Amino acid sequence: MLKDKYADRIEKIFAKYADKRSAVMSLLYLAQEEYGYVTEDACAEIAALIGTDPTQVRSIAGFYTMFREEPKGRYWLQVCTDLPCALRGADKFYEELLQELGIEDGGTTPDGMFTVEHVMCLAACDRAPMLQCNFHYHEHLDMDTMRALIAQWRAEAGVLAEAAAVGDAPAE
Amino acid sequence: MTTTVTIHIDGVPYAVPDGMNLVDAARIYAGVEIPIFCYHPKMKPVGMCRMCLVDLGFEVRDRATGELALNPDGTPQVRWGRKLETGCTTTVRAGMYVRTRTEQVQEARRDVLEFLLSSHPLDCPVCDKGGECPLQNLTMRHGPGTSRMAYDDKLHLDKHVPLGDLIYLDRERCIQCARCVRFQDEVVGDDVLAFHERGRRLQIITTSTPGFDTYFSGNTTDICPVGALTTADFRFGARPWELTNVPSISPHGPVGENIALSMRLDRDSGGVQVIKRVIPRQNEDVNEIWISDKTRFGHHFTLSPDRLREALARKRGELTPVALDDALKAAAKALKEAGNSVGFIGGPMTSNEDFFALRELAAHVGSRKLGLWPATLGDAAPAAEVGIASGSRLTELGKGDAVLVVASDLEEEAPIWFLQAKQAADRGAALIVANLRETKLDRYASRTVRYGLGGAVGFLDGAASDETLAQAANLVVFVGNEGLGADEHGVLLRAAANLLITTGHAGRRNNGLIPVWPGANTQGGFDLGFESAATRAMLQSAPDVLIVVGADVAETPAGAAALDAAKFVIALSLFPDATTAKADVVLPIQSFAERDGTFTNAMRRVQRFYTAQGPVGESLPAWQVIGLLGQRLGMDRPRRSAALVMKALAESVKLYAGMSYPALAEAAVQTPPIGISPGFYGGTAAAPTGGTGLQWPSKAESRAKLSVTPVEAPQAVHAGAGELVIVPLRRLYDRAPEFFASAVMHGRIPQPFVALHPSDAARLGAVDGGRVKLSAGGASLDVTAVVDATAPEGLALLPQRLAPGAFPQEPVAGRVEPVAEAVAAD
């Protein structure tokens, strides 16, 4: 339960708003961080916390694309392929990235590491090709830098997995 | 008072109320139809569908002088907006100019429709809404003839999504107007519907538990401007153009919801007229355009195979089918022998005509035993004195007003009044809910009062000193009988009258008492001289002959005993039940759908219902059966029509003077007109054809001198050692045959249960979900225990008419014992 595990953070979130219902977005981020995506139970938990109906929470999670409603990979890569980025080769880059990872548009790698999807403008046209990974930007990409990043993430994940195995996960 | 302003629509000046919604003003005052999908006059405008785009301008005034700027030709200069604006989110004000027919406006409408249709399925030929569909109608009127959208690009979505037991969603047909979402949020206050995703993928969802299951869910299918929401009952049931809408009145509950029965000659039902659906009929004084799901889906009893089809008489101890004449002969013989020792008991669906026929028969035999069922009610005199004034509208209550609800769970007993009380609170009225337990209306109350058993009178008696109530501009008091004995109910009604008189809220419009009676025509029974108290007297000492009309008297132990004690029982009934089983003669009567008649609702409005379907078996209207019986006792032959019965009634009952059928058939103008025949606002509510009824004025309105009668609460029921007080509750969905015949509702009717406070349950050893035996007054029931923290300690809350078997209908001290579950033997 979020309420028990993150009592302090929830209290801090509520302190920021005059009306508890206004905290719904912050709580959705918290739930996503905890469960990897916005689960059905999380909606019910949040609804109970802010005093609304679970359907209303689900509706908000559904409206915003930054909330995941299904399990996704550990690294969620969103590549902008809008017109200005495409002019700088983003569409070609995107195709190559999919090929590199061996998945389809919107797919997840079998090891659960990467989910790749194309998105509309991320407001970094001048630095395209670019992508957003778990809400962090990576810009001026080509396949070489991308391969390096992928290797780096895989290594990181390995470290995390090992740490988790011995019960000593580093703080994110 | 609102002031009137002049606006110009398409060049013509109109005087309209300042601040009115532009769409409504154009429709009502100018007869100009600004097309709409999402806008609905019963809900706040949102401007979502963009269909109501109009060209908006304002007259130009010189800033310095405030003078109107004129064109060279002397006409006022108008500054038009650079873009079109949505009419539904615009309120009219002085100097406004509106153009609704320019090329630009027409193009906008065409484009909006083209977008709406870009992914709309072409299944109109099998769609329930086809024929009465706003999307079809407006497309014909304003839309493009063809689409530029490639057919292959249409989105295909789920077409059979159950949103609950009763409502199905077709995602393809939905045009995202959010009428259903807003209805649940604004009107009902239960936001279990919402949008998910956005853009082209925007969809209606519910992820709540339980899902979409309010008592009002069917109304969303009425206001849906397309065929996206359909009921499990009517889905694929008929095409709208095959249906004839017959005006009627809901036979369920005291609100008297105006309805229309959509009839069709139905092959599958043997080629007879059947009710295919029930839709609301607009009456702003009663139910606006809303009906409860009980009214909408609870019509199947009219053609139930369980109905009584022939007369029965006892032969050698057994009830045997006999010819109607023989049954009447046997009944008349018993009546002749009984002299004036004859008692009459009328039930909740008995019409005014039936009550009047009973009254005439009673006068003929010299009996004054006119009883009303149930036997648990106080008297109606307080309501006749200070009942809500005629012409009152609950929809007008708002800021500065107060609504007081005492001893009633309005959602269960009168769902439409629940909506109206809740909405009055939303508009700013003080809502005070007083009961011995928590009810759903508490959520919207500005104050809740919790009293103990026997405490209702004390609370109401002291309420006159309450500032909110005393200072309210208008005050409406709902009084029910939950947790009250019959005497206490009478005293409570009197205490409510006292409150209204002392605080100066009697005899004025939008003020007064509304008794939450149990039946559709309980008020009519009282008006015609039938009393619940008379029934109690008959249960004490039974007359020789008992004539029971549409009342299951045997549902209480005292009633069953009285039927046994009477020498001869004549039962007029729709269904065989525990009462007919004890009767000597059983005569089948017609339901509200088979005959003409009138019901008087608890706001004293007399309303007509009309013949819609053919009779079932040999059944006759109750007034006619009673008339035939009277004829055998030397009375004139029965009148030839219900209209003539009503004519005689109106001549002999002062309250009903002038209430002839033609007068009752007159329809008051409805503003705004939402019903089908104007058709403008879309949706399937019927126009008020058939009449909106007439209300008789309370005594207070005639400036009669009103006096306060001091009240004293009677002794409350006391539970002995090891006992609880078993309090019967009225629930909307029960197992009475008039409702249980609707199989579509079975999933919504709870299993027989009793609610216990956790500490009582623990003390008695009852577990949640376990079986318990209730025993009181020589009767016992086997039900499931529900441990409920909101149940008051020391009380066992028992919903009525769920478990088979007789049980007292007033609070009674009794035992609650766990039943050892039988262990299955191998």
Side-chain angles (χ1 to χ4, degrees):
Chain A
M1 291 290 278
L2 296 173
K3 195 171 66 178
D4 307 323
K5 193 167 174 188
Y6 296 104
D8 295 352
R9 278 181 67 182
I10 291 172
E11 204 173 300
K12 272 183 204 153
I13 291 170
F14 279 145
K16 285 193 279 184
Y17 304 101
D19 183 349
K20 277 194 167 186
R21 288 167 67 120
S22 310
V24 64
M25 303 273 283
S26 306
L27 293 173
L28 279 168
Y29 275 125
L30 183 65
Q32 183 161 283
E33 191 182 308
E34 174 66 14
Y35 304 116
Y37 68 104
V38 180
T39 61
E40 212 62 33
D41 289 345
C43 284
E45 267 186 68
I46 294 171
L49 280 170
I50 63 174
T52 183
D53 195 282
T55 303
Q56 303 300 320
V57 178
R58 170 58 70 199
S59 171
I60 290 164
F63 183 84
Y64 294 104
T65 50
M66 66 269 195
F67 295 121
R68 312 181 198 179
E69 296 197 87
E70 277 146 27
K72 285 200 162 103
R74 181 189 288 266
Y75 295 94
W76 181 18
L77 311 184
Q78 296 173 299
V79 183
C80 176
T81 54
D82 250 2
L83 181 62
C85 287
L87 291 174
R88 290 174 64 98
D91 52 344
K92 186 160 165 282
F93 167 78
Y94 184 59
E95 288 303 320
E96 286 172 358
L97 174 59
L98 288 176
Q99 231 164 27
E100 173 73 22
L101 292 170
I103 51 176
E104 305 259 290
D105 176 26
T108 303
T109 52
D111 57 0
M113 284 292 295
F114 300 103
T115 297
V116 185
E117 62 189 27
H118 72 278
V119 295
M120 300 287 189
C121 189
L122 289 169
C125 315
D126 57 326
R127 282 155 278 168
M130 60 80 61
L131 62 76
Q132 178 176 248
C133 172
N134 296 357
F135 304 113
H136 293 286
Y137 277 19
H138 298 272
E139 294 153 344
H140 297 297
L141 294 171
D142 56 34
M143 276 320 287
D144 291 339
T145 50
M146 196 61 224
R147 278 189 201 101
L149 272 173
I150 289 170
Q152 183 195 329
W153 284 327
R154 282 197 199 279
E156 242 176 60
V159 172
L160 288 174
E162 274 169 35
V166 296
D168 184 27
E172 282 186 36
Chain B
M1 265 331 278
T2 47
T3 49
T4 302
V5 294
T6 301
I7 65 168
H8 286 71
I9 301 177
D10 298 327
V12 184
Y14 297 97
V16 301
D18 194 10
M20 194 180 206
N21 186 294
L22 176 59
V23 169
D24 291 339
R27 173 70 183 75
I28 296 166
Y29 292 91
V32 171
E33 297 194 348
I34 299 173
I36 45 165
F37 287 114
C38 72
Y39 176 63
H40 194 284
K42 293 286 175 197
M43 295 181 286
K44 287 184 202 123
V46 285
M48 287 176 75
C49 72
R50 318 309 288 175
M51 193 61 202
C52 62
L53 288 171
V54 289
D55 202 0
L56 216 56
F58 287 93
E59 60 194 15
V60 182
R61 282 181 186 274
D62 186 294
R63 284 201 184 169
T65 63
E67 293 282 312
L68 268 183
L70 299 178
N71 290 319
D73 64 357
T75 56
Q77 271 184 31
V78 177
R79 184 173 296 131
W80 293 98
R82 283 185 302 145
K83 289 180 177 177
L84 301 180
E85 293 185 52
T86 46
C88 76
T89 55
T90 304
T91 49
V92 297
R93 55 191 169 95
M96 182 180 274
Y97 283 71
V98 186
R99 288 193 295 218
T100 70
R101 293 183 208 153
T102 59
E103 182 49 42
Q104 196 189 8
V105 170
Q106 286 176 23
E107 190 187 336
R109 291 173 183 168
R110 206 159 45 234
D111 292 348
V112 167
L113 279 164
E114 189 174 8
F115 265 122
L116 284 179
L117 294 169
S118 67
S119 247
H120 196 82
L122 291 174
D123 60 359
C124 304
V126 296
C127 176
D128 281 338
K129 210 78 169 195
E132 53 188 14
C133 172
L135 183 59
Q136 271 185 335
N137 294 345
L138 294 184
T139 301
M140 298 300 278
R141 217 170 295 161
H142 305 288
T146 55
S147 176
R148 287 173 292 174
M149 184 77 182
Y151 189 80
D152 291 345
D153 282 349
K154 285 203 172 206
L155 277 184
H156 290 290
L157 300 162
D158 296 340
K159 293 185 78 69
H160 309 284
V161 183
L163 284 184
D165 291 347
L166 298 170
I167 308 295
Y168 282 88
L169 167 66
D170 183 322
R171 294 215 149 117
E172 283 189 345
R173 293 181 190 159
C174 177
I175 59 166
Q176 290 91 30
C177 68
R179 275 186 177 184
C180 54
V181 175
R182 287 145 60 210
F183 172 77
Q184 279 302 112
D185 180 25
E186 289 177 33
V187 182
V188 181
D190 194 9
D191 15 332
V192 295
L193 296 183
F195 278 135
H196 191 240
E197 299 249 4
R198 50 180 159 157
R200 246 185 133 199
R201 287 182 303 187
L202 193 67
Q203 293 301 335
I204 301 289
I205 55 153
T206 177
T207 60
S208 309
T209 333
F212 184 35
D213 77 336
T214 60
Y215 288 158
F216 310 97
S217 63
N219 292 300
T220 55
T221 65
D222 284 329
I223 56 177
C224 181
V226 290
L229 294 176
T230 49
T231 67
D233 196 33
F234 179 63
R235 216 158 104 89
F236 307 132
R239 312 317 315 276
W241 55 86
E242 303 166 340
L243 300 172
T244 310
N245 289 329
V246 178
S248 194
I249 299 297
S250 170
H252 302 291
V255 178
E257 291 146 282
N258 288 218
I259 53 175
L261 307 176
S262 293
M263 307 301 298
R264 186 179 80 164
L265 280 174
D266 203 50
R267 185 195 61 187
D268 296 343
S269 311
V272 297
Q273 288 281 358
V274 300
I275 302 172
K276 298 303 288 186
R277 65 172 180 188
V278 174
I279 55 174
R281 188 161 55 97
Q282 191 180 12
N283 189 340
E284 292 298 312
D285 290 318
V286 182
N287 55 313
E288 306 168 62
I289 55 159
W290 314 126
I291 57 176
S292 72
D293 282 1
K294 182 170 191 175
T295 294
R296 187 181 302 270
F297 302 118
H299 64 83
H300 290 277
F301 75 93
T302 66
L303 279 179
S304 162
D306 296 337
R307 283 271 304 268
L308 277 171
R309 276 154 211 275
E310 47 195 353
L312 308 171
R314 216 163 269 286
K315 281 185 183 167
R316 286 185 292 281
E318 290 292 311
L319 275 181
T320 322
V322 293
L324 181 63
D325 262 354
D326 293 342
L328 289 169
K329 198 158 68 185
K333 183 166 168 277
L335 280 168
K336 276 180 197 151
E337 285 166 10
N340 70 352
S341 182
V342 183
F344 303 82
I345 300 177
M349 284 189 194
T350 308
S351 81
N352 290 321
E353 294 75 7
D354 306 341
F355 277 123
F356 184 68
L358 282 177
R359 189 168 125 145
E360 285 190 313
L361 180 61
H364 182 75
V365 301
S367 162
R368 301 176 76 166
K369 296 186 172 69
L370 302 178
L372 198 57
W373 193 259
T376 54
L377 305 175
D379 69 297
E385 270 176 43
V386 299
I388 188 159
S390 3
S392 296
R393 280 187 176 175
L394 298 175
T395 52
E396 289 176 7
L397 298 174
K399 207 164 171 52
D401 302 331
V403 178
L404 174 59
V405 181
V406 190
S408 177
D409 183 350
L410 274 191
E411 196 201 17
E412 300 285 348
E413 297 177 40
I416 297 302
W417 289 339
F418 167 86
L419 281 194
Q420 292 175 334
K422 180 244 164 206
Q423 287 183 281
D426 289 346
R427 286 187 296 268
L431 174 63
I432 302 178
V433 182
N435 203 338
L436 39 75
R437 67 183 176 105
E438 194 178 315
T439 61
K440 193 163 167 195
L441 197 59
D442 289 6
R443 287 193 204 170
Y444 311 103
S446 38
R447 185 145 55 89
T448 57
V449 177
R450 207 61 77 237
Y451 51 73
L453 203 61
V457 172
F459 156 72
L460 205 47
D461 207 24
S465 56
D466 182 295
E467 283 198 5
T468 317
L469 297 178
Q471 290 171 8
N474 297 298
L475 172 62
V476 171
V477 185
F478 288 94
V479 175
N481 66 337
E482 186 170 299
L484 308 179
D487 293 339
E488 198 181 356
H489 183 218
V491 175
L492 188 67
L493 286 165
R494 176 53 61 192
N498 289 348
L499 170 71
L500 287 158
I501 295 167
T502 43
T503 57
H505 289 110
R508 288 194 283 124
R509 207 168 152 271
N510 294 342
N511 285 275
L513 170 63
I514 302 181
V516 187
W517 302 128
N521 200 35
T522 306
Q523 181 67 46
F526 277 118
D527 295 348
L528 288 163
F530 289 72
E531 293 275 354
S532 193
T535 308
R536 292 196 289 281
M538 284 186 263
L539 300 188
Q540 288 282 320
S541 78
D544 286 353
V545 174
L546 255 182
I547 300 184
V548 181
V549 182
D552 189 2
V553 174
E555 68 186 351
T556 68
L563 293 174
D564 290 337
K567 285 187 190 140
F568 200 88
V569 175
I570 303 166
L572 281 66
S573 185
L574 287 167
F575 288 93
D577 54 23
T579 301
T580 59
K582 286 178 180 292
D584 299 285
V585 167
V586 179
L587 300 161
I589 53 171
Q590 294 178 352
S591 72
F592 80 111
E594 291 144 73
R595 45 165 292 189
D596 282 21
T598 56
F599 287 145
T600 307
N601 79 357
M603 289 167 81
R604 307 183 319 284
R605 182 174 289 273
V606 184
Q607 308 188 100
R608 268 188 83 175
F609 53 89
Y610 294 73
T611 307
Q613 72 177 42
V616 167
E618 292 176 347
S619 64
L620 294 172
W623 62 263
Q624 204 175 346
V625 177
I626 299 156
L628 288 170
L629 207 49
Q631 193 182 359
R632 287 177 178 271
L633 297 175
M635 292 172 70
D636 289 343
R637 49 187 284 242
R639 295 187 182 82
R640 275 166 300 149
S641 69
L644 293 174
V645 181
M646 191 64 187
K647 187 162 171 270
L649 191 165
E651 280 160 11
S652 99
V653 180
K654 229 172 115 190
L655 296 174
Y656 286 52
M659 292 196 186
S660 64
Y661 271 15
L664 292 170
E666 275 170 32
V669 173
Q670 305 294 314
T671 310
I674 306 175
I676 285 176
S677 73
F680 168 67
Y681 291 101
T684 46
T689 324
T692 43
L694 294 170
Q695 221 169 357
W696 56 265
S698 68
K699 270 194 200 132
E701 290 170 69
S702 58
R703 303 193 179 279
K705 197 166 173 296
L706 302 168
S707 58
V708 171
T709 319
V711 295
E712 199 177 326
Q715 194 68 41
V717 182
H718 183 72
E723 288 184 324
L724 293 179
V725 175
I726 301 170
V727 175
L729 306 180
R730 293 214 299 269
R731 274 184 75 98
L732 192 66
Y733 296 161
D734 59 20
R735 284 167 192 262
E738 293 81 16
F739 184 61
F740 201 66
S742 293
V744 66
M745 301 306 286
H746 285 186
R748 308 287 317 283
I749 302 175
Q751 291 302 312
F753 74 94
V754 64
L756 301 170
H757 187 270
S759 69
D760 289 330
R763 191 161 44 79
L764 296 165
V767 292
D768 192 52
R771 279 170 59 215
V772 290
K773 188 177 151 200
L774 309 180
S775 36
S780 68
L781 283 185
D782 209 357
V783 298
T784 305
V786 170
V787 179
D788 180 355
T790 69
E793 227 172 320
L795 304 187
L797 305 175
L798 175 70
Q800 291 178 32
R801 300 199 183 94
L802 286 181
F807 207 76
Q809 291 179 333
E810 288 181 84
V812 61
R815 305 192 82 83
V816 179
E817 294 150 324
V819 179
E821 299 284 341
V823 181
D826 288 290

